[in-house]
């Protein structure tokens, strides 16, 4: 569930933890790989994706939100 | 729980666009300003990762069109009355230029790009702007003016002794209560969501606007006796099915049926200046098509030029839809080849705080701006009312002594007890239980046009039955809610706010004994001409909701 963090790329800078409007990273510790405590509270605004300095974050869109097309 | 006292001339509750604009202006005028924001002002609120339309009047570009603009359909929807229209004419262009000077790109290729929310023949009253980083820019501007920003602080109660004296907030990460002593308060907490179900049952955060916006300001203001309006009206946004986001006027394409025939005349071919606004002009079509057996409605970009497709993606990204665009890229969804199904999302409602052109509420020292205080709607409303609220609050604070908290000590103690009970109960209801229970009562007893089953019926007996159930739920929520940490405590307080707004919606919906446009009453199918140009005002008096109708000057 969103967001998904690439452990190889993440430097633990904490920007995503700092900025998330919904605080899905609640409980993360400084300098460590962020924990995703409340994935179901993600708004998919992509702030963490946009602001990650090492492009380590992507969103995995949950299946109930799968876009429907012809 | 640790306690901390914070002093301010002007306290902004909510650090979205409106709150930050108020903070910047009040600080410029010499006030000591504090912003309390549940998230982080860099990326919080419904404008977190952007917006792309700004409704404004720029005289040097549009003066020749003024007569037409004044008759604009879009303005009549988004601006409450004549005095707010005059304010918009005077200020909205100035706000756009101010933002441009601060680094929020309000022009496209060096020009104001008027586009969207209109059909050919109608005046264009919105400019496209690149708002992806608007919150970062506004935050930096506020800090440069000396504003103190307290991120991860949720304001949950206002303190009033005749006039405003302060507020209470909780830290959403650490066990800490913040007692604000403030001469004035600007509420900028956004739209009221999570009162009704969203498109995915039980998935509480799949919403078009920021799910943190739960009508806190409306509820806080109401509890201390401020007047609210429009609690009987609900708004239902439209967009891609099940992936709830704003941006319906940014997509370029034609709405078509399952056989690829255009639906309705708005428009039948793609023009980048005119959005496909079938879903704005006749949103009920989507559900009526399905109900009548005609099948789904699709947004189809077939035939669009490559430049226009890139143009659309550019603005969708700036509208805060990077999440959707990245997903479409990953999944190979291209609306030129794969038309996407559209839907109407669940209702948003709960009323807004009644303000005047100075952003003043009916309580001395209390101001509101943005989606929680309606005069001018949308982004220019957040910018203009925020800015003016900052001026009004700073000027008020200059004339006001530092308030005494003596007579609100009882309220503070009572609220501390409430927090402690929620934090220390061994077992009980989670915030999700309460929130979902609210949503099912609202949907089934204060339903909405286009709903199915019981949800589409709104009548006095259903409304009053629902209100009784909701009040019972409220009592249970107060007596049984449990939070395991500060994050959950924040959500518990949001749920309690939603319960207040739910009561307002039931009361207001019952009071409007007519059917008018999208407002449908099963027991009053006709429009009551006596209510033309009137708005319903609600207020708490002696623990009861009182209502009255007032004339709107058009």
């Amino acid at each position: 569930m969103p967001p998904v963090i690439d452990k190889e790329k993440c430097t633990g800078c904490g920007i995503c933890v700092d900025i998330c409007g919904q605080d899905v990273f609640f409980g993360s510790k400084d300098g460590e790989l962020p924990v995703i405590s409340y994935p179901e509270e993600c708004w998919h605004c992509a702030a963490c994706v946009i602001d990650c300095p090492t492009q380590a974050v992507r969103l995995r869109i949950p299946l109930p939100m799968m876009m429907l097309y012809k | 729980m640790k306690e901390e006292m914070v002093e301010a001339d002007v306290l902004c509750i909510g650090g979205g666009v409106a709150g930050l604009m108020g903070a910047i202006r009040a600080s410029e005028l010499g006030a000591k300003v504090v912003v309390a924001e549940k998230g982080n002002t860099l990326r919080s609120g419904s404008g977190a990762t952007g917006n792309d339309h700004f409704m404004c009047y720029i005289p040097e570009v549009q003066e020749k069109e003024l007569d037409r603009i004044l008759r604009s359909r879009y303005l009549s929807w988004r601006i409450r009355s004549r005095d707010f229209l005059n304010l918009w004419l005077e200020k909205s262009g100035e706000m756009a230029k101010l933002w441009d000077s601060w680094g929020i790109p309000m022009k496209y290729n060096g020009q104001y790009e008027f586009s969207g929310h209109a059909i050919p023949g109608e005046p264009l009253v919105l400019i496209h702007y690149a708002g992806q980083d608007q919150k970062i820019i506004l935050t930096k501007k506020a800090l440069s003016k000396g504003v103190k920003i307290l991120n991860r602080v949720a304001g949950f109660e206002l303190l009033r002794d005749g006039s405003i004296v302060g507020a209470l907030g909780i830290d959403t990460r650490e066990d800490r209560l913040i007692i604000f002593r403030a001469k004035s308060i600007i509420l900028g907490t956004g739209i009221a969501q999570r009162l009704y179900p969203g498109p995915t049952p039980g998935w509480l955060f799949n919403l078009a606007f920021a799910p943190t916006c739960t009508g806190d300001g409306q509820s806080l203001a109401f509890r201390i006796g401020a007047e609210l309006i429009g609690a009987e009206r609900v708004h239902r946004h439209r967009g891609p099915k099940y992936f709830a986001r704003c941006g319906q006027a940014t997509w370029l394409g034609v709405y078509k049926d399952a056989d690829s025939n255009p639906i309705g005349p708005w428009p039948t071919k793609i023009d980048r200046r005119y959005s496909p606004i079938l879903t704005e002009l006749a949103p009920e079509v989507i559900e009526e098509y399905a109900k009548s057996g005609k099948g789904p409605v699709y947004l189809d970009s077939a035939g669009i030029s490559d430049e226009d497709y890139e143009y659309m993606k550019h603005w969708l990204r700036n509208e805060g839809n990077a999440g959707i665009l990245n997903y479409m890229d990953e999944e190979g969804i291209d609306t030129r080849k794969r038309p996407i199904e559209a839907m109407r999302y669940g209702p948003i409602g709960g009323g807004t705080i009644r303000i005047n052109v100075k952003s003043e509420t009916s309580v001395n020292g209390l101001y509101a701006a943005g989606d929680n205080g309606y005069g001018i709607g949308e982004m220019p409303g957040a910018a203009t009312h925020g800015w003016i609220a900052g001026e009004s609050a700073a000027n008020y604070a200059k004339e006001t002594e530092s308030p005494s908290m003596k007579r609100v000590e009882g309220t503070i103690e009572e609220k501390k007890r409430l927090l402690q009970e929620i934090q220390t109960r061994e077992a009980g209801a989670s915030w999700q239980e309460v929130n979902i229970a609210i949503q099912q009562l609202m949907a089934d007893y204060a339903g909405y046009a286009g709903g199915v089953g019981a949800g589409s019926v709104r009548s006095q007996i259903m409304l009053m039955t629902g209100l009784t159930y909701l009040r019972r739920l409220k009592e249970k929520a107060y007596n049984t809610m449990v939070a395991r940490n500060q994050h959950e405590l924040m959500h518990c307080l949001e749920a309690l706010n939603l319960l207040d707004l739910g009561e307002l919606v039931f009361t207001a919906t019952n009071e409007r004994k007519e059917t008018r446009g999208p407002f449908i009453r099963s027991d009053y199918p006709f429009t009551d001409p006596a209510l033309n140009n009137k708005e319903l005002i609600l207020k708490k008096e002696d623990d009861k909701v009182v209502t009255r109708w007032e004339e709107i000057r058009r």
Side-chain angles (χ1 to χ4, degrees), chain B residues 296-342:
Chain B
V297 169
Y298 296 91
L299 178 92
D300 189 338
S301 308
I304 193 174
S305 68
D306 289 348
E307 294 78 34
D308 282 359
Y309 197 65
E310 288 309 311
Y311 180 87
M312 172 180 93
K313 291 208 289 188
H314 168 75
W315 294 118
L316 278 172
R317 197 165 289 280
N318 276 295
E319 166 74 345
N321 283 325
I324 244 182
L325 290 172
N326 294 347
Y327 171 77
M328 287 171 71
D329 280 349
E330 283 179 15
E331 295 286 316
I333 302 170
D334 180 330
T335 54
R336 290 172 291 194
K337 296 177 199 132
R338 297 271 189 204
I340 52 170
E341 196 177 328

Side-chain angles (χ1 to χ4, degrees), chain A residues 17 20 23 41 43 51 68, chain B residues 43 173 207 245 487 491:
Chain A
V17 178
C20 176
D23 212 7
E41 295 185 19
W43 183 38
D51 290 346
L68 304 178
Chain B
R43 290 292 189 194
R173 286 187 173 171
L207 300 167
R245 296 297 300 187
H487 184 81
H491 285 323

